[in-house]
Amino acid sequence: QVQLVESGGGLVQAGGSLRLACASSGPFFRNYAMGWFRQAPGKEREFVTAISWTRSNTYYADSVKGRFTIFRDNTKNTVYLQMDSLKPEDTAVYYCAAGRYAAARDMNNRDPEYWGQGTQVTVSS
């Protein structure tokens, strides 16, 4: 069973930065990927970004390209989400996720198997 624990959420002013972390525990199986979703108040959950453990490729939603960066630390089994130039519309609960994917972009097409509990990110005007 894969367990995911998020950290790093908080309150930041528009234009600022935050870094989220997602620590994971095994098993780590073939075609494994981790990523991030978010859900704003009154809106549906949306895909943000993902990284493939198999090929180390990444994929980003258009709304965060150029502002958000996903990267991993294999020694800690941790994935990070660096968020820069934050906007009020980025305010949401951010969820770490993991599942069986051959490529990072596939997480945008099929929901992951495993989810963290979420961490709140609030961007003030």
Side-chain angles (χ1 to χ4, degrees):
Q1 183 72 27
V2 175
Q3 293 180 293
L4 306 172
V5 180
E6 303 104 326
S7 62
L11 175 65
V12 66
Q13 197 150 347
S17 299
L18 283 174
R19 180 178 291 184
L20 307 183
C22 177
S24 65
S25 61
F28 298 98
F29 38 79
R30 186 175 297 176
N31 299 326
Y32 183 75
M34 296 180 64
W36 296 88
F37 290 74
R38 67 185 182 185
Q39 187 166 22
K43 295 185 177 181
E44 293 186 345
R45 183 182 61 201
E46 66 173 336
F47 172 81
V48 177
T49 183
I51 183 168
S52 170
W53 232 258
T54 304
R55 304 185 64 179
S56 298
N57 55 19
T58 59
Y59 184 77
Y60 297 89
D62 289 341
S63 59
V64 304
K65 284 182 179 178
R67 299 190 299 119
F68 290 11
T69 304
I70 186 170
F71 61 98
R72 70 187 192 188
D73 183 342
N74 289 345
T75 63
K76 298 180 179 179
N77 296 322
T78 299
V79 165
Y80 301 89
L81 180 64
Q82 178 67 42
M83 304 184 293
D84 299 319
S85 301
L86 283 163
K87 305 174 181 179
E89 49 263 46
D90 294 319
T91 295
V93 176
Y94 283 71
Y95 297 92
C96 181
R100 297 177 183 268
Y101 301 95
R105 69 168 63 88
D106 294 341
M107 192 174 288
N108 191 40
N109 301 321
R110 173 171 54 84
D111 282 348
E113 300 171 88
Y114 306 101
W115 296 85
Q117 295 184 10
T119 184
Q120 176 70 47
V121 172
T122 302
V123 184
S124 62
S125 302

